[in-house]
Amino acid sequence: MTVIALPRVRRRAPVALGACLLSFAAFWWAQRAAHVSMIDLMVYRAEGETVRAGGDLYALRTTEAHLPTTYPPFAALLFTPLTLLGTSTMRTLATAGNLALLVVFVALSLRLVDHARVEGVWWASAAAVWCEPVWTTVRYGQINLLLGVLVLWDLTRRPWHRWAGVGIGLAAAIKLTPALFAVFLLVTGAVAYTRRGSAGPWLRHARGAAVAFAGATLLAASALPYDSWRFWSRMVFETGRVGLVEDTANQSLRGVLARLLHTTQPGLWWVAAAAVAGSLGLGVAVAAELRGRRAWAVAACAVTALLISPVSWSHHWVWCVPMVLILGTRGRAATVGSAQVTAVSTALGTAAGTSLVFCSYALWWVPHGPGRLELQQTGAQLTLSALYEGAGLVFLTLIGVRLWRTCRTV
């Protein structure tokens, strides 16, 4: 029996790889047919050119949309090699690089839930490439998958490894949102210390992230002192530079409230909502981590960061990939005992529903674009333009309920 089964097992990976390559090829063709602009990639290159020319990084306005520089100076240093490439070559390498990063991102996500079989990585990657956040990430030439890989690489290794925190620290030095993962580690260590008298590996991990962040930031400051001073003393507080808060693409709580209240300044409503969501989301992540649920903790922290950020563009939600994989693998794992049938159905149904949300592109079915049409959306349109936030809140609620039930049965 074993001899007969082995060839079938060996054939699964090549078939899955072939399906993934076919899906990627179709995706590449679809992107070319759509004449994607890769506008953010053009901004990154312009930042690199500004650094090489010694110009004012945060006075830069580039592309037809006159987009500004919004990332910390360390990111601009990393973008300087783009100036050595022709535009066509740069676009090709960016697309190929993002597809490769997607495979790594999927593999690391599956490693979180102990399902990192090779064929599973290929099948999941073949499907994930078509979700809206991934499509838009590649369309704009964005770096979301790179940041996700840095964070997951850090959090899927042994907690005492030599480079603990480096991935998170570098990701935060490139773009500030991943810094919440360092806060998550710090809070987890503090709670563990108060409860058990030991901070475990978490404080050391948080310290490593802080050191990596500080090192990268100081490196940028030594190379770009004026730009670093401007960013950390002024630009970091000017969230309006990133874009219109009410834009449909802004899938953060602030964006939802701006559209719901028909205002460009949700003000204290957003501050209160972000404070509540941040506290509860971080609490769920810490509780999951302390109970050995690293996959839940990481996903909960990522969703919390996206919800409370002033601006979370739809392509920032590439974290939907581990969300769906976590929900799906939880459903497959719970297959023993008749009492778990409902849990299995719920988990798989939630995974399917979450996949539908991020693959439907439904947030673009509402009025959007010039004229600030988002401020005039109806109830149904407001619902569609808040799908990502809704999915994130449901995900956090499901994890919180599961942890509460687990606590009650202990």
Side-chain angles (χ1 to χ4, degrees):
M1 295 294 290
T2 303
V3 175
I4 296 174
L6 280 175
R8 294 181 181 177
V9 174
R10 290 172 180 170
R11 284 197 297 268
R12 290 176 185 171
V15 170
L17 174 59
C20 183
L21 292 176
L22 183 62
S23 179
F24 281 10
F27 176 88
W28 199 311
W29 176 86
Q31 289 260 320
R32 291 179 65 88
H35 303 289
V36 296
S37 64
M38 289 199 168
I39 190 170
D40 288 340
L41 184 62
M42 299 298 107
V43 174
Y44 299 158
R45 184 180 185 180
E47 291 180 24
E49 290 174 341
T50 302
V51 169
R52 294 187 62 184
D56 188 340
L57 189 59
Y58 294 100
L60 175 67
R61 292 292 186 277
T62 187
T63 73
E64 295 179 357
H66 302 287
L67 296 177
T69 301
T70 59
Y71 294 172
F74 180 67
L77 287 181
L78 299 182
F79 295 148
T80 53
L82 295 177
T83 62
L84 305 177
L85 302 173
T87 301
S88 178
T89 301
M90 181 178 63
R91 289 171 180 263
T92 300
L93 291 177
T95 301
N98 265 321
L99 292 178
L101 285 168
L102 174 63
V103 174
V104 178
F105 191 52
V106 168
L108 292 173
S109 299
L110 287 172
R111 183 185 295 180
L112 275 175
V113 290
D114 297 323
H115 280 265
R117 293 180 180 177
V118 173
E119 62 269 21
V121 172
W122 296 127
W123 283 117
S125 299
V129 73
W130 294 100
C131 71
E132 190 273 341
V134 173
W135 169 277
T136 311
T137 287
V138 182
R139 171 190 175 188
Y140 292 150
Q142 260 284 344
I143 58 172
N144 306 301
L145 290 168
L146 172 61
L147 300 179
V149 165
L150 284 172
V151 170
L152 288 187
W153 171 83
D154 204 337
L155 292 172
T156 53
R157 294 166 63 85
R158 294 179 179 178
W160 297 103
H161 70 89
R162 177 186 300 179
W163 302 101
V166 171
I168 293 173
L170 291 178
I174 296 170
K175 195 171 185 177
L176 296 178
T177 307
L180 189 65
F181 285 97
V183 177
F184 151 70
L185 292 169
L186 179 63
V187 174
T188 303
V191 172
Y193 184 80
T194 58
R195 290 182 178 179
R196 309 170 185 174
S198 172
W202 296 291
L203 290 185
R204 179 179 181 274
H205 205 153
R207 184 170 63 250
V211 169
F213 173 81
T217 301
L218 289 174
L219 174 64
S222 64
L224 304 168
Y226 175 71
D227 292 320
S228 294
W229 170 255
R230 284 198 69 194
F231 179 81
W232 294 109
S233 65
R234 177 181 172 186
M235 300 304 170
V236 69
F237 304 108
E238 295 185 1
T239 57
R241 287 170 51 86
V242 180
L244 299 177
V245 63
E246 75 276 6
D247 197 313
T248 297
N250 183 12
Q251 292 293 299
S252 70
L253 288 174
R254 187 167 178 243
V256 170
L257 287 171
R259 294 188 291 271
L260 179 64
L261 300 175
H262 305 293
T263 178
T264 60
Q265 297 294 334
L268 292 177
W269 288 105
W270 168 65
V271 174
V276 172
S279 300
L280 294 178
L282 196 59
V284 168
V286 171
E289 177 70 10
L290 290 174
R291 295 181 191 175
R293 305 287 189 175
R294 170 58 65 91
W296 295 1
V298 171
C301 184
V303 169
T304 301
L306 291 168
L307 289 174
I308 67 175
S309 175
V311 175
S312 292
W313 300 127
S314 67
H315 51 78
H316 295 170
W317 282 83
V318 292
W319 286 96
C320 69
V321 174
M323 285 170 60
V324 172
L325 292 176
I326 288 168
L327 291 170
T329 52
R330 283 298 306 167
R332 291 181 59 189
T335 57
V336 180
S338 58
Q340 295 180 334
V341 172
T342 301
V344 173
S345 301
T346 301
L348 293 179
T350 306
T354 305
S355 298
L356 181 61
V357 166
F358 290 101
C359 292
S360 66
Y361 295 69
L363 73 160
W364 299 114
W365 300 353
V366 303
H368 61 277
R372 295 195 159 180
L373 301 177
E374 290 89 346
L375 296 177
Q376 305 167 24
Q377 290 179 356
T378 64
Q381 293 167 347
L382 287 169
T383 300
L384 289 177
S385 65
L387 281 177
Y388 290 9
E389 297 89 339
L393 290 172
V394 169
F395 182 78
L396 290 177
T397 301
L398 287 174
I399 294 178
V401 169
R402 185 62 182 269
L403 290 170
W404 177 69
R405 288 179 176 174
T406 303
C407 181
R408 289 187 63 191
T409 58
V410 173

